[in-house]
Amino acid sequence: MMRGTLSKVSKASAAFAFVLTLSAGSAFAQTATPAAANAAPTAAELAAGKKIFTTKAAPACALCHTLKDADSSGDIGPVLDELKPDAARVEKAVRGGIGVMPAFKGLLSEDEIRTVAKYVSAVAGK
C-alpha cells in the first residue's frame, strides 16, 4: 500500500516538474523575444526620434542638451555626445525626469519615449 502511494507521488512530482519546465520555457521565450526592441533603429525611427528631440517634447530636449546629430547646443543638461547613454538610461530619464530635467511621462506617449530614447542612444557620440 505504501509502495503504490509513493509511486503516485513520484509520478505526480515528475508531471509537476515537466509542467514547470514547460512554463519556465515559455516564460523565457516571452522575456527573450524583445530582441526587436534592441535592434538598430530604422531611418524612419531615427527621423521620428529626432523630431521628438528637437520639437515635439515640450520643452524640447534640444533646448537643454547638446547632440550633434540634432544640431543642438543646449548647456543646461549633459552633453549627450559625451555621455553616450544607452536607450534604457534615456528612457528612465525622459520618463521620470532627473535633476532639473522634468518628467515627460504623460506629456509624451510610451512609444514616443521609446523612440526618442532609441534615437539618442543610436546617434550620441557619432
Side-chain angles (χ1 to χ4, degrees):
M1 184 163 219
M2 183 74 136
R3 184 174 156 178
T5 305
L6 194 53
S7 177
K8 288 179 186 176
V9 170
S10 294
K11 287 179 184 176
S13 295
F16 178 75
F18 179 73
V19 170
L20 191 58
T21 302
L22 286 177
S23 64
S26 64
F28 174 74
Q30 290 171 355
T31 57
T33 22
N38 295 330
T42 64
E45 288 173 319
L46 289 174
K50 186 173 187 174
K51 183 175 182 177
I52 295 165
F53 187 90
T54 58
T55 61
K56 171 87 167 122
C61 311
L63 291 175
C64 298
H65 295 282
T66 296
L67 185 62
K68 181 181 174 185
D69 187 82
D71 199 27
S72 65
S73 57
D75 57 359
I76 297 171
V79 176
L80 297 172
D81 289 311
E82 292 173 5
L83 189 61
K84 299 177 190 169
D86 63 23
R89 185 173 181 185
V90 177
E91 274 191 51
K92 183 177 179 182
V94 172
R95 192 173 286 114
I98 188 168
V100 297
M101 179 179 157
F104 287 86
K105 182 178 182 178
L107 301 174
L108 294 175
S109 72
E110 283 300 309
D111 282 343
E112 290 171 323
I113 291 171
R114 279 189 293 277
T115 300
V116 76
K118 230 175 168 179
Y119 165 71
V120 169
S121 67
V123 303
K126 310 246 175 3

